[in-house]
Amino acid sequence: MNPIDLTARELAAAIAAGDVTATDATQAYLDAIAAHDGAIGAYNEVFPAQALAQAAAVDAARAAGEPLGPLAGVPVAIKDNMCLDYGHTTCSSQMLKSFQAPYTATAVQKLLDAGAVILGKTNLDEFAMGSSTENSGMSPTRNPWDTDCVPGGSSGGSAAAVAGRLCAAALGSDTGGSIRQPAAFCGIVGLKPTYGCVSRFGLVAYGSSLDQIGPMTRDTADAALLTGIIAGGDDRDSTSIHQDVPDYLADLDTPLEGLRIGLPTEFFTDALDPEIAATIDQAVETYRAQGATIVEVSLPHSRIDTDAAGQLSSFAVATYYVVATAEASSNLARFDGIRYGHRTSEEIDDIVELYSASRAEGFGEEVKRRIMLGTFALSSGYYDAYYNKALKVRRLIKNDFDAAFAQCDVICCPTTPTTAFRFGEKTDDPLQMYLADIYTISLNLAGLPGVSIPAGVSTGNMPIGMQLIGPVFSEPTLLRAARLFETHSDLGILTPPAR
Ligand code: GLN
C-alpha cells in the first residue's frame, strides 16, 4: 500500500491500525514533494525535520497505547497566510518574506491537536488577492492537470498540493472564492464554511467581513472530517460563533430525504461554457435519480450579464470589489515597515516617506491596486457613493438567498464559468481575472457556506467543479448533498494524468 494513494481518513485509519507508520507516510510525502514540487511549485516552504518529529511523536504515542487524534500522522499543508510558530508566514508577499509568526493560528493548532503532521506552507496570490496564483510575490504555482494552466487562486498552492498528491489534505482561505475556485480548477473538494464557523485567529486578514478558513481535500468525507476539527467558537476571534460543532461525518452517507435542489435562473446564461453547463445538467439528473426535487430559484442581484461585446458583469462582483478592497486597505495599513513588514534600506528620515518607500517596495502591483481602490472608496465624499452603496447591494444579495432558501435546501450551480485557464491569459486585464469568481463571490457577501466538488472532466481533460450553496450553518446538509453526488456519479476521486 502506498500511503499517498489514501484519503486523509483512510490514512488515519491505516496508521491507527498499524498498517503504515506516520513516519513512513510523512517520508513518502516528503519524497513526493522532492520529486514533483519542482514542476508544480505548490509549496513556499517545506518542514522536513518538524514534520518527521511530529510523525515520530504519533508513532511513539501509538506504541505506548495512547489515544490517537482523528488525524494522527496525516500529512497536511497550510496556506501561507496562516500563522505557524515556526518557519515563515509570508502571504506570498515580499512585504512579509522574512516574517516569523510568534504564534499559531487556531485552525492550524486544531489540526496539530488532532495529530496532523504539517508538511509545509503553500503558495497563494499575494495576501490572497487573485484567482490564479499569478499574483504571488514568490512564483506561480502550476496546475497538476496541465502545467501550462493556472491552479486557480488564491489558495492555488493548497489545491495543487492536494490534487498533485503532495499532501493528504490542506487548509485554504476564501474571501471571494479562493477555496472553491482552485478546488474546481484542480479537481478536488473545497469547502468555504459559514462566516463565523471557523476561527480566523492567526489568519492574516484580507477582507474581514468575508474571510473564512476551510478544508481542501480529495473527497467530501475528508472535508467533513477536517471541518469538524477546525470549526467552533474561539475567544480569540470575536467573530467566531460559539455553538456545538456537529459531527459532520455522522450522517454523511445517509441519503437526504426529500432534498430540494434550487437552480438559480440567473446563473445559467449564455455566459457559461456549454461543456460546464452540460456537466451541471448531468449532475442535476443524478440528483433527480436519487429522488431530489429540482426547483428554479431566482437570485436577481447575483445575476450574471453579458454585454454586446461579450463582457461578463455582475452586481456581486462590483459589490465585492468595493467591500473587499475597502477592508483590505484598512487591514494592510499595518504593513508599514515599522510595526510589520519589509522596511526599505534607503536612508530616510521622514516617517511618511519611510512608510511610502517601504510599501512601494514590499507590495506587488495587484495589492497596490486594491489598496488604492479601497482607500478611494472609503474617502470622504465617495464613501456614500461607493462603500455605503455596496453595503446596500450586499443586503439585497443576501435577501435573495434568504428568499431562495424558502424554496430549496441547497442551491446547485457551476463553481467557475470556465475550466482552468492558461498562464498569462488574464493578467493584462484585472477585470477578467475578477470575473473568474463570478459564481463564488456572492456567497461570501451573504456569509453562506459553499462547497465545490468535482462534477466531471472536460474534453480538454481539465476538471469541472460544481458548487453547492446552503443557508448559514447548513454544512451538514451541504456535505451530505455533496456526498450523495460523489457516491452516485461514476467520477470517483480525480487523479491528474501525471500522478
Ligand atoms: N479572487 C478574489 C479576490 O482576488 C477572491 C480571493 C479570495 O477569496 N481570497 O479578491
Side-chain angles (χ1 to χ4, degrees):
M1 176 213 8
N2 186 348
I4 283 182
D5 296 334
L6 304 180
T7 65
R9 240 175 27 135
E10 290 165 348
L11 181 55
I15 291 169
D19 297 338
V20 61
T21 64
T23 302
D24 286 349
T26 301
Q27 192 59 56
Y29 275 109
L30 291 171
D31 293 346
I33 293 169
H36 302 290
D37 199 41
I40 301 296
Y43 284 92
N44 281 349
E45 191 171 11
V46 182
F47 307 121
Q50 292 93 333
L52 287 168
Q54 289 159 358
V58 169
D59 290 332
R62 185 178 178 278
E66 289 167 20
L68 296 180
L71 276 180
V74 176
V76 299
I78 307 295
K79 186 177 181 179
D80 200 11
N81 60 350
M82 292 172 215
C83 292
L84 183 62
D85 65 6
Y86 56 91
H88 297 86
T89 298
T90 70
C91 295
S92 290
S93 178
Q94 291 300 314
M95 181 55 98
L96 287 179
K97 69 170 186 298
S98 49
F99 175 59
Q100 293 178 279
Y103 59 88
T104 296
T106 300
V108 177
Q109 189 58 52
K110 284 184 167 185
L111 291 187
L112 285 167
D113 294 345
V117 168
I118 295 183
L119 291 168
K121 306 289 282 293
T122 54
N123 192 28
L124 60 150
D125 288 290
E126 186 176 0
F127 285 103
M129 298 176 185
S131 307
S132 68
T133 75
E134 288 166 293
N135 294 341
S136 168
M138 307 306 180
S139 53
T141 297
R142 299 183 173 275
N143 192 316
W145 287 79
D146 178 348
T147 50
D148 290 334
C149 289
V150 303
S154 64
S155 313
S158 285
V162 173
R165 306 301 185 252
L166 304 175
C167 65
L171 289 185
S173 68
D174 190 313
T175 306
S178 278
I179 288 176
R180 293 158 287 153
Q181 185 256 19
F185 278 9
C186 291
I188 63 165
V189 174
L191 173 79
K192 192 225 59 106
T194 303
Y195 185 77
C197 178
V198 177
S199 166
R200 293 149 341 143
F201 176 75
L203 170 71
V204 178
Y206 162 17
S208 302
S209 73
L210 305 156
D211 300 336
Q212 264 296 287
I213 293 174
M216 304 180 77
T217 57
R218 289 186 208 171
D219 72 354
T220 54
D222 278 2
L225 172 65
L226 263 75
T227 307
I229 292 168
I230 62 176
D234 178 6
D235 290 340
R236 292 183 294 186
D237 173 4
S238 61
T239 63
S240 69
I241 294 176
H242 290 264
Q243 61 181 26
D244 289 344
V245 176
D247 182 349
Y248 299 101
L249 276 166
D251 298 320
L252 195 64
D253 287 309
T254 317
L256 284 151
E257 291 292 322
L259 177 68
R260 295 168 305 163
I261 303 252
L263 301 179
T265 329
E266 294 83 358
F267 278 8
F268 293 91
T269 65
D270 294 348
L272 182 60
D273 176 316
E275 213 179 355
I276 296 185
T279 303
I280 303 300
D281 280 351
Q282 233 180 349
V284 169
E285 286 317 309
T286 304
Y287 279 116
R288 208 193 296 274
Q290 293 308 313
T293 316
I294 313 300
V295 290
E296 268 200 21
V297 295
S298 181
L299 299 173
H301 297 92
S302 301
R303 186 178 68 232
I304 294 170
D305 286 321
T306 323
D307 67 15
Q311 170 77 53
L312 291 180
S313 71
S314 129
F315 290 146
V317 172
T319 304
Y320 171 88
Y321 277 96
V322 174
V323 173
T325 59
E327 294 180 4
S329 79
S330 145
N331 277 326
L332 270 56
R334 73 192 66 165
F335 304 110
D336 56 12
I338 303 286
R339 285 176 300 169
Y340 292 101
H342 166 83
R343 185 183 305 179
T344 181
S345 55
E346 278 180 60
E347 287 294 325
I348 299 179
D349 292 334
D350 181 82
I351 185 84
V352 174
E353 274 177 40
L354 181 70
Y355 288 161
S356 175
S358 300
R359 286 164 69 84
E361 288 173 14
F363 288 135
E365 215 178 294
E366 182 62 24
V367 174
K368 287 178 190 161
R369 180 179 296 119
R370 305 273 179 117
I371 292 172
M372 287 191 282
L373 264 170
T375 306
F376 179 76
L378 289 175
S379 57
S380 152
Y382 297 99
Y383 186 94
D384 279 341
Y386 294 107
Y387 187 68
N388 263 347
K389 183 71 149 272
L391 293 188
K392 288 177 187 166
V393 181
R394 182 178 193 172
R395 166 55 64 177
L396 295 173
I397 289 169
K398 164 127 186 29
N399 290 351
D400 288 348
F401 276 108
D402 290 347
F405 287 125
Q407 290 172 269
C408 68
D409 306 304
V410 163
I411 288 174
C412 174
C413 63
T415 310
T416 55
T418 63
T419 55
F421 45 87
R422 301 177 92 75
F423 284 96
E425 215 177 293
K426 296 184 195 287
T427 39
D428 293 341
D429 181 355
L431 185 59
Q432 285 308 316
M433 192 69 86
Y434 298 172
L435 291 167
D437 293 313
I438 204 155
Y439 289 104
T440 51
I441 242 165
S442 47
L443 262 79
N444 301 73
L445 290 166
L448 305 175
V451 62
S452 178
I453 58 171
V457 177
S458 72
T459 44
N461 203 37
M462 294 303 281
I464 295 174
M466 168 167 76
Q467 181 175 231
L468 300 174
I469 310 168
V472 290
F473 287 109
S474 65
E475 282 84 349
T477 308
L478 217 49
L479 284 161
R480 278 171 75 187
R483 182 70 164 181
L484 190 67
F485 176 76
E486 193 178 68
T487 43
H488 289 95
S489 75
D490 308 326
L491 217 51
I493 292 175
L494 297 184
T495 310
R499 293 311 313 275

